[in-house]
Amino acid sequence: MKPLIKITNIKRDFVLGDEIVYVLKGIDLEINKGEYVALMGPSGSGKSTLMNLLGCLDTPTSGNYILNGKDVSKMKDDELAEIRNKEIGFVFQTFNLLPRTTALENVALPMVYAGYSKAERRIRATEVLEQVSLGDRILHQPNQLSGGQRQRVAIARALVNNPSIILADEPTGNLDSKTSEEIMKLLAEIHNNGNTIIVVTHEEEIAEHANRIIRLRDGMIESDITK
């Protein structure tokens, strides 16, 4: 079986004034379909840069990235945007919901870009909101929802296009511990349904939910442990 993600000797440098900062220094990584991976590392370890590359928000300085059989490391911005919309569902710490639109409209947004009809968008968005236990909140706006409910809307939006990967960046960063636990339970359910999940976190207890923990330090993989 081919891996869902295959990264070979990925490097990412940034030019700051006269200096070149070497953030990723040659990363090799494979992730298979259906894995639940936590990506950890101290500040400055390169984990956010790696997440941006995995999420096709950025391209490497050198090296190859094959996502679901496609070489995305050489793609142009518009091609990357299409891959992001189809292949990757994002969950952010700050939820990134549109404030004056309903939960249903927020969730349906990726389907607008993917070209689905209004009726199809409504049916599918309702379905995923029910999946995250928000069937009774579909017409509520973000300011009428709790932090945990907002993150559930964000997770539903990440699921709506049936992506290859759910990429969650510090998904419980703005939530209290009880709500964090509920969100991690929900991600576990989503993983049990066959989704591939990559969580970027600095919290050990969040990483413990994953089956595999990859630790970065100084732009290299320090350890890669499957439980």
Side-chain angles (χ1 to χ4, degrees):
M1 189 177 78
K2 281 190 180 162
L4 178 61
I5 285 173
K6 184 174 168 67
I7 279 181
T8 315
N9 199 21
I10 284 278
K11 296 181 179 175
R12 185 69 174 96
D13 315 334
F14 293 95
V15 178
L16 288 178
D18 299 337
E19 277 185 70
I20 297 177
V21 181
Y22 300 99
V23 179
L24 296 179
K25 300 168 185 170
I27 294 214
D28 294 318
L29 178 62
E30 289 188 4
I31 296 173
N32 293 315
K33 189 177 185 323
E35 282 199 87
Y36 187 162
V37 178
L39 199 56
M40 298 197 76
S43 198
S45 62
K47 71 177 187 295
S48 299
T49 302
L50 181 57
M51 189 205 72
N52 287 338
L53 291 171
L54 289 171
C56 297
L57 295 162
D58 189 17
T59 47
T61 305
S62 63
N64 287 332
Y65 175 14
I66 310 290
L67 169 59
N68 213 359
K70 302 180 192 85
D71 186 347
V72 295
S73 40
K74 313 285 186 290
M75 283 188 178
K76 306 222 166 27
D77 287 352
D78 53 342
E79 294 172 300
L80 284 174
E82 195 173 325
I83 290 281
R84 277 198 302 275
N85 196 44
K86 284 188 179 156
E87 301 278 356
I88 301 158
F90 291 96
V91 180
F92 298 100
Q93 179 178 346
T94 50
F95 321 132
N96 285 14
L97 300 176
L98 298 174
R100 283 180 289 281
T101 41
T102 64
L104 186 77
E105 289 162 333
N106 266 293
V107 170
L109 196 60
M111 296 184 75
V112 175
Y113 299 123
Y116 290 94
S117 72
K118 195 168 183 185
E120 287 171 317
R121 297 198 301 262
R122 190 178 178 87
I123 291 165
R124 175 67 184 149
T126 303
E127 199 177 276
V128 284
L129 279 163
E130 282 168 358
Q131 193 184 332
V132 301
S133 309
L134 283 180
D136 57 342
R137 295 279 192 281
I138 63 172
L139 298 179
H140 285 56
Q141 293 183 0
N143 64 355
Q144 299 168 308
L145 300 170
S146 69
Q149 287 171 333
R150 282 182 220 173
Q151 193 57 296
R152 284 170 185 271
V153 172
I155 290 169
R157 180 183 58 193
L159 287 168
V160 78
N161 273 347
N162 290 312
S164 305
I165 310 164
I166 301 288
L167 198 52
D169 183 14
E170 301 282 5
T172 60
N174 282 344
L175 305 173
D176 62 56
S177 52
K178 181 177 175 290
T179 313
S180 296
E181 199 53 44
E182 287 167 9
I183 291 299
M184 293 318 292
K185 267 198 188 129
L186 176 59
L187 285 175
E189 280 167 32
I190 290 165
H191 172 246
N192 290 338
N193 291 339
N195 290 83
T196 309
I197 297 181
I198 301 172
V199 173
V200 179
T201 182
H202 65 280
E203 294 180 63
E204 294 289 342
E205 58 267 37
I206 297 299
E208 280 305 313
H209 290 268
N211 304 120
R212 178 179 172 192
I213 299 177
I214 298 169
R215 294 178 194 273
L216 266 71
R217 184 172 293 277
D218 299 327
M220 304 286 287
I221 290 177
E222 181 181 51
S223 64
D224 182 347
I225 296 164
T226 301
K227 290 193 267 183

